[in-house]
Amino acid sequence: MAESLEPEDIELGPVLSALADPHRRHVIHELVNDTDGSERPCTSFGLDLSKSTRSHHFKVLRQAGLVHQVDRGNRSGVTLRRADLDARFPGLLSLIGSEKES
Amino acid sequence: MAESLEPEDIELGPVLSALADPHRRHVIHELVNDTDGSERPCTSFGLDLSKSTRSHHFKVLRQAGLVHQVDRGNRSGVTLRRADLDARFPGLLSLIGSEKES
């Protein structure tokens, strides 16, 4: 789980692909609007999914460079890579954060 | 080919999914930077693809609401839905237009 892309290796294709999924976009929407930027447990986003499916979605987000994920033993926490993403793709996070979710 | 989404029916998920593909993103990148907004033949984007694959990509762009496409008899032309997209998703087109393509 430690692997993380370097900021300059974050690419728009995988980022958009990750965000095309509504569950993953929901996670990023929540993180964008958590303005304190604190770490969130992966279980805190109200995703009604099996553990393995939820893990898959967080892996996609992590591998695209959208989040950092850390293993806390009995749980896993994520933080948004806000500064990296704002530097690489200005406007992207506000676009996701302002989406009206249905 | 006439079907077009109403502006209010353009949704972020299909738009991001359409833009996750590098060929489709290349088309939108070119259209964003064609500031005169004129219609472009579908064959004018330098896509090294079969006709059927190219048609598929334009269909995805059209069905997501990114472009209008018109049949000119022996060819097909596309225009970017710039005003609709800027109104729905501020910042999206500049994000795509400013990507450095490899």
Coordinates of all heavy atoms in Angstrom, one line a residue, chain A residues 8 51 66 76 85:
Chain A
E8 N 5.0 14.5 -10.3 CA 5.1 14.7 -11.8 C 4.7 13.5 -12.6 O 4.6 13.7 -13.8 CB 6.6 15.1 -12.1 CG 7.6 14.1 -11.8 CD 8.2 14.1 -10.4 OE1 7.5 14.7 -9.5 OE2 9.3 13.6 -10.1
K51 N -16.2 -5.2 1.1 CA -14.9 -4.8 1.5 C -13.9 -4.8 0.3 O -13.1 -3.9 0.1 CB -14.4 -5.6 2.7 CG -13.0 -5.1 3.2 CD -12.6 -5.9 4.5 CE -11.2 -5.4 4.9 NZ -10.7 -6.3 6.0
L66 N -4.6 10.2 -6.9 CA -5.6 11.1 -6.3 C -5.5 11.2 -4.8 O -5.8 12.2 -4.2 CB -7.0 10.7 -6.7 CG -7.3 11.2 -8.2 CD1 -8.4 10.3 -8.8 CD2 -7.8 12.6 -8.2
S76 N -7.6 1.4 7.4 CA -6.8 2.1 6.4 C -7.4 3.5 6.3 O -8.6 3.8 6.4 CB -7.0 1.3 5.1 OG -6.4 2.0 4.0
L85 N -2.5 17.8 -6.8 CA -3.5 17.8 -7.9 C -3.8 19.3 -8.3 O -4.0 19.5 -9.5 CB -4.8 17.1 -7.4 CG -4.6 15.6 -7.2 CD1 -5.7 15.1 -6.3 CD2 -4.6 14.9 -8.5

